[in-house]
Amino acid sequence: MIYLTRRERFNSAHRLFCPELTDQENYEIYGKCSNPNWHGHNYELFVTVKGEVDAKLGYAANLSSISKIIKEQVIEKVDHKNLNLEVDFLKDMVTSTENLAISIWRELEDHIKILGVDLHCVKVVETENNYVEYYG
Amino acid sequence: MIYLTRRERFNSAHRLFCPELTDQENYEIYGKCSNPNWHGHNYELFVTVKGEVDAKLGYAANLSSISKIIKEQVIEKVDHKNLNLEVDFLKDMVTSTENLAISIWRELEDHIKILGVDLHCVKVVETENNYVEYYG
Amino acid sequence: MIYLTRRERFNSAHRLFCPELTDQENYEIYGKCSNPNWHGHNYELFVTVKGEVDAKLGYAANLSSISKIIKEQVIEKVDHKNLNLEVDFLKDMVTSTENLAISIWRELEDHIKILGVDLHCVKVVETENNYVEYYG
Amino acid sequence: MIYLTRRERFNSAHRLFCPELTDQENYEIYGKCSNPNWHGHNYELFVTVKGEVDAKLGYAANLSSISKIIKEQVIEKVDHKNLNLEVDFLKDMVTSTENLAISIWRELEDHIKILGVDLHCVKVVETENNYVEYYG
Amino acid sequence: MIYLTRRERFNSAHRLFCPELTDQENYEIYGKCSNPNWHGHNYELFVTVKGEVDAKLGYAANLSSISKIIKEQVIEKVDHKNLNLEVDFLKDMVTSTENLAISIWRELEDHIKILGVDLHCVKVVETENNYVEYYG
Amino acid sequence: MIYLTRRERFNSAHRLFCPELTDQENYEIYGKCSNPNWHGHNYELFVTVKGEVDAKLGYAANLSSISKIIKEQVIEKVDHKNLNLEVDFLKDMVTSTENLAISIWRELEDHIKILGVDLHCVKVVETENNYVEYYG
């Protein structure tokens, strides 16, 4: 069993906002991250797949295929977008790093499986000081 | 003459948008960076000052004082903000990395001088693949 | 289950020194790291917690609360300090990266639990070439 | 149980090439990575060992000894070398990052055990956008 | 006057080799870098242009256009290539980082000028420990 | 004219302390950096030389020779040392990053000249948030 990781990046606007709460309550919980005028990040996305190494070809999966899946299923939908307003797979969710990781997992899982490997980890790095990992 | 640099960071939303142009023209020039729903970045700001080293104290300027000036004059005004909507010193400007660097220079120049050193360079890193430097 | 990581940093002096050994023996085992006049590092501390994502708030734990705990329980006690002389929770220990990670775990575990998540990993990076991870 | 990681680096030439396939088939599978005139990388190698912390000496294993083993068993054999032509432990293999990680594990495992710890993970970083981890 | 920098990357094989010298002399001068079987690097290329900021559009030059020029004039010719064997603009040259920077300058200078800005600096990073800058 | 840079690293203990001032005054000026029990850093040293490229050999100076000079003249004297107590070329100085850069310049200048190039810049990075550059 081998673990293969691909990094992709996207730059997005978002705010932390829970619609069941008032603006004041949102501010108390999320602080400046709930600014109604948005802020944004250079997100780094690390997608790790696991599988057996093909004895002939020497790889677990073709890195270009993994990259293509991530770009089509995730990056094109979130890059230079507003995560709260424009991303179907984040609709009605708090756009926390946690929810980003879980939602990206769901977008990728089946597509990765077609390559003959399993999705192992989705890691989303929001700033140099915080990141989230989800293992399904 | 010695050059002393301090790094600070801020996370903001913005879009590249020139009000004299139509939405279509903006898109043709700025591409996905002109998305009306905003996107954002983890900006890195490197402020370099130059001066003589104080023979007794051993420094050109107190790094804490430099940091305090950058935070008060710049970071508090741009961090977790929308650069197009909420920043006085960027009012009516295209929020390009170039204009960010020039505008931050203007906010800092006089305050840095009070420390007995001169502002030498403002460097704004927008992504790992592009940055701007302004020397006044 | 989601894993959330926060990075904090501290700059400290230390030496590798085992009081049960002579200076010569210490030098043979720890090399230049046992220099009696100390040396030091820019340490990076990555604290990973694990828990369920709150369905309403969208996070496993409030990142600001995690950061506050790390700063109060660890950073304030070790930053710009001598790890061998000034840190209660390292008293009578070899100030190796291993012992640092284990001791920081002990300082953090109960405080993190109050946030409704569990401490998962303490990672201490001593240089760009070596780090230690402790999972309890 | 503690996990201790050491990073070493090597710069090598290689190509992805499966001898059972034609040049055209190699190109279709590996793309530009199968260029017969070679290309190369600055590889980063992270070796993680696990073990108990020695109560007296405060470490799981001596970092210098780990570094020495990695240099003797791996780095000297691959650094500034052609991975396809000059490395015994990669003979007749596709020099993929996967096979590199697995083969390096085999070179290190027994030597690490002599230090009283177990090899836990071999991580090979090929570019800033992809890496492989192998846990035996 | 503003300075705008774009980073691109390429992975290549090369060797340091001076055809006027014997293999032995090459080895004495360049050490392991003269290995006849090649080695390679993940090169980072930083291209800095300087110019006035367009008062209306807010930028010195369109970053996409700069990136396109670098990719067409340089990256496509060197990426996943052997710098000694396959690159016209390095023909008959020692493929040192110095010569790389100077030759890349020559490939870029006229094309950058068409954008209305001047090439200011070509920086080539060969490893994390060495890089070269050329200012024309 | 080409600019060639080599990075080396050292880990040292120090404190900011001006002997002409009382402990209280030192604390007011340097803050926690004046802790009498020391603190420390992973310093990064970037040494830039400038010169003509040798038409035959293709380099401005042999990188190994530059590295050897830096190690012999600087790194061996400061690495795993106390900058205030053990470094002759810092004797009676405030061990600020500014004084470090200037003093390292003095240690290197003549030795670099022997290689047929001129010392251009000494850059000392103390933390990820601050560094000093000295150009003689």
Side-chain angles (χ1 to χ4, degrees), chain C residues 18 20-21 28-30 94 96-99 101-102 126-136, chain D residues 1-9 46 48 53-64 123:
Chain C
C18 173
E20 307 170 38
L21 301 174
E28 277 158 20
I29 290 170
Y30 301 117
V94 179
S96 61
T97 320
E98 285 91 334
N99 279 342
I102 295 171
E126 195 184 61
T127 75
E128 66 185 39
N129 292 328
N130 71 294
Y131 62 82
V132 158
E133 291 159 304
Y134 183 61
Y135 296 85
Chain D
M1 186 71 70
I2 200 109
Y3 298 80
L4 172 60
T5 299
R6 173 74 189 176
R7 183 185 76 128
E8 301 286 348
R9 300 177 302 111
F46 293 82
T48 303
V53 178
D54 183 288
K56 183 175 163 193
L57 298 179
Y59 58 47
N62 195 313
L63 206 58
S64 314
K123 177 179 175 180

Side-chain angles (χ1 to χ4, degrees), chain F residues 64 88 124:
Chain F
S64 314
D88 278 355
V124 179

